[in-house]
Amino acid sequence: MQPSGDLHIGNYLGALKNWVRVQSEYECIFCIVDLHAVTVYQQPAELRAKIIELAGLYLAAGIDPQQSSIMVQSAVPAHAELAWMLTCVTPVGWLERMTQYKAKAAKQESVGDGLLQYPVLMAADILLYQAAAVPVGEDQAQHLELTRDIAQRFNSLYGDTFVMPATTLPTVGARIMGLDDPTTKMSKSATGAGHTVALLDPPDRIRKTIMRATTDSNPAVDFEKLGDGVANLLNIFQAFSGWPDDQLRAHFTGMRYGDLKKQVADMTISELDPFQQRYRQITAEPGYIDGILREGAARVTPIANSTVELVKQRMGLHTES
C-alpha cells in the first residue's frame, strides 16, 4: 500500500483483512510502497510520518512481524534497480493501455513519467521476490496481468528467470465503494467529506458518515432490486460480520434504510474499536515500528539481491560473481 492519504475500511476489508488471513498459509512480504507514492508530489515530512502510520496500521490489523516481513520499498534498492531492467523489455504500448494510467493522465495537464512507469515498478516489487501469489484487489488485476506479461517476455528473451505469479482475491469485501458515490471505488485520494470511513476515525465521525451514505428511492431493503448504495452498505456489513448470504438476506429484507445504516455503523464501530486500541498501543512505544521495518528490510534484502544478480547475469550486465 502507498503511504499517502488515510487508510479506510475499503483498504482494510479489500486487502488488509485478507493479508492477515493468508500470512499463515504463505511466506509473506508486506511492502509499504513509498516509491510509488512519489509519482505525485508528497510533502517530505508528511510522507515520512505516513510511512510509520501505515506500518502501525499493518501491525494493528494483525500482520505478525515474527511470521511475515514488513518493509519499506525504498529501503531495498533492488526494487528500483530491477524496475529499470524490466523497463528495458516492456513496450510503451503496454503501459499506455493501462486503465489507471489513462484515467489519471486524463485529469492532469502534465503527466510525469513515473505515472507511466508505475506498473513496471509494481512488476519489480512482485518479481523481485519470485512471488507465487499476490493478494490484490480487483482494481490491481490488470497490473498483475501486466506483471505476468513482463515476466513472460523477459523469460522468452533471456531464459527462465522469473516465477509466473498467480493472484488471490478475497471473496467478500473485495470492492468497497464510496459512501457518497457508490458507483466509484472508495479511494484514499477522494476529497469528499462523506466518501470514506478512515480506519482511525472516531466513532461519532464514523456514524455521521455512514448515516449520510447514499442509498436509493426505495423505502426499504429489497434484495431483488438493490440500488448501488444499499448493496454497498450490505457489503460492508457482511465483510465485517462474516455473515453468509442467507443470514444477511433474512436479517435485512424489508428493513428501512435508516435502521440499515444504524446497524452498519454499529458493526463498523465495534469492529474498528479494538483495531484502534491496538494501533494506539503499538505507536506509543518509541522506536518499535522503526525496528520492525529495519528487521523486515534486512530479512528480504538477500532474496531481492539474489534476483537482481540473476537478472544481471541473464542480461550480460556486470556482476560481482
Side-chain angles (χ1 to χ4, degrees):
M1 291 182 180
Q2 288 191 35
S4 59
D6 294 324
L7 225 62
H8 52 66
I9 58 172
N11 302 128
Y12 177 71
L13 296 172
L16 264 177
K17 193 175 181 182
N18 193 45
W19 292 359
V20 173
R21 178 182 60 81
V22 302
Q23 69 176 339
S24 62
E25 303 169 20
Y26 298 93
E27 179 186 355
C28 292
I29 299 170
F30 298 110
C31 187
I32 296 170
V33 288
D34 54 343
L35 293 175
H36 285 295
V38 296
T39 55
V40 296
Y41 176 77
Q42 305 290 336
Q43 205 284 327
E46 184 175 335
L47 178 60
R48 281 190 286 270
K50 282 292 182 182
I51 289 169
I52 298 302
E53 177 185 290
L54 185 52
L57 292 170
Y58 279 13
L59 294 165
I63 293 177
D64 182 356
Q66 301 302 315
Q67 191 172 32
S68 305
S69 300
I70 303 174
M71 42 78 70
V72 181
Q73 186 183 31
S74 64
V76 182
H79 282 262
E81 191 171 5
L82 180 60
W84 172 251
M85 291 184 276
L86 295 181
T87 295
C88 294
V89 301
T90 304
V92 173
W94 288 5
L95 303 178
E96 291 175 335
R97 286 195 296 269
M98 300 301 288
T99 302
Q100 286 195 20
Y101 169 75
K102 289 191 289 187
K104 292 180 179 180
K107 299 176 183 178
Q108 300 179 18
E109 290 185 15
S110 177
V111 179
D113 186 50
L115 188 61
L116 181 67
Q117 300 298 335
Y118 182 108
V120 184
L121 178 57
M122 182 174 173
D125 298 336
I126 296 166
L127 299 175
L128 193 61
Y129 301 104
Q130 304 290 1
V134 188
V136 298
E138 292 174 6
D139 61 316
Q140 295 295 333
Q142 187 187 31
H143 283 163
L144 185 61
E145 195 54 45
L146 178 70
T147 297
R148 292 171 57 83
D149 290 342
I150 292 172
Q152 191 168 36
R153 181 174 172 83
F154 189 97
N155 289 350
S156 68
L157 288 171
Y158 293 108
D160 194 20
T161 304
F162 294 116
V163 169
M164 298 294 287
T167 182
T168 60
L169 294 173
T171 55
V172 176
R175 194 170 180 83
I176 303 299
M177 312 304 283
L179 292 167
D180 60 344
D181 180 4
T183 64
T184 61
K185 186 184 175 190
M186 190 174 283
S187 170
K188 289 191 298 175
S189 60
T191 56
H195 182 75
T196 71
V197 170
L199 293 180
L200 298 178
D201 275 352
D204 59 341
R205 187 182 300 170
I206 294 171
R207 190 174 302 280
K208 184 176 181 180
T209 302
I210 291 176
M211 294 305 294
R212 290 181 173 178
T214 299
T215 51
D216 55 39
S217 59
N218 294 325
V221 177
D222 182 350
F223 279 84
E224 302 309 315
K225 46 182 178 181
L226 287 176
D228 291 335
V230 178
N232 190 42
L233 289 168
L234 291 167
N235 193 25
I236 291 169
F237 186 95
Q238 186 175 36
F240 272 125
S241 68
W243 285 12
D245 290 345
D246 56 351
Q247 183 179 2
L248 195 77
R249 183 179 286 258
H251 181 78
F252 285 108
T253 294
M255 184 178 289
R256 298 188 72 83
Y257 292 160
D259 293 329
L260 166 65
K261 290 177 179 180
K262 184 179 183 301
Q263 293 203 18
V264 174
D266 288 343
M267 174 61 69
T268 303
I269 290 167
S270 68
E271 289 292 308
L272 290 186
D273 178 62
F275 175 93
Q276 293 176 355
Q277 289 186 39
R278 288 193 299 271
Y279 177 81
R280 288 191 288 268
Q281 292 169 353
I282 288 164
T283 54
E285 186 176 340
Y288 175 70
I289 292 176
D290 286 322
I292 293 294
L293 295 176
R294 280 195 300 272
E295 291 171 10
R299 192 184 303 171
V300 304
T301 291
I303 306 171
N305 289 347
S306 175
T307 299
V308 165
E309 281 297 297
L310 177 61
V311 172
K312 285 181 175 180
Q313 289 173 7
R314 290 282 195 270
M315 296 182 79
L317 298 170
H318 177 73
T319 65
E320 295 179 359
S321 57

